Amino acid sequence: ERMTLCDGLTYYLPPEANQQIFARVASLTAPGSSIVFDMVNANFINQQRDGWHLQDLSARGAPWKWGHNDPTALLRPMGFDHVDVLDLNDLQVDRGRQQLVR
C-alpha cells in the first residue's frame, strides 16, 4: 500500500486543479493505495466568503478556492474505495510526543 499526501494544498487550488490532482494520483497508484489530504467543507467557504477569516486570507494573497461536502462521492469514482473522513474533533494531539493520535 502506498500513500500520497496533499496536506495544506487543496483549499488554495481551484476545483479543476484538485480534480486533476486526484485523477492523476488515482491513475498512478496501485489498487488499495491511499491519498491523504485536508480540506474544508464547501458550505463553509460559500457561507463565510465575506467573513473575516476568508477575507484575511484573500487580502494576504492566499484565498481559499475549493471545498467539498462529500469526499466519498468525490473519490470513489476514481478508485479510492475506502474513504475515511475525519473531523478535527476526531483527532487528538499528544503534545509530549508531538504527534497526532487518532
Side-chain angles (χ1 to χ4, degrees), residues 5 13 16 20 23 28 32 37 42 55 57 74 79-80 82 85 88:
L5 179 64
L13 301 176
E16 304 80 24
Q20 290 172 355
L28 295 173
F37 59 96
Q55 287 295 310
L57 288 169
L74 173 71
F80 294 102
H82 177 78
V85 178
L88 287 177

Side-chain angles (χ1 to χ4, degrees), residues 33-100:
S33 295
S34 299
I35 183 170
V36 178
F37 59 96
D38 57 341
M39 60 178 283
V40 294
N41 185 289
N43 290 341
F44 173 80
I45 290 177
N46 293 331
Q47 293 168 359
Q48 298 297 319
R49 187 147 320 274
D50 295 326
W52 74 267
H53 182 67
L54 295 183
Q55 287 295 310
D56 182 60
L57 288 169
S58 186
R60 295 171 186 263
W64 283 4
K65 300 177 181 178
W66 182 81
H68 201 282
N69 293 333
D70 190 352
T72 301
L74 173 71
L75 296 172
R76 277 214 174 121
M78 296 180 200
F80 294 102
D81 296 326
H82 177 78
V83 178
D84 192 9
V85 178
L86 301 175
D87 187 273
L88 287 177
N89 294 325
D90 297 329
L91 302 175
Q92 297 177 3
V93 176
D94 181 337
R95 300 222 184 271
R97 292 183 180 168
Q98 297 183 343
Q99 66 185 23
L100 284 175

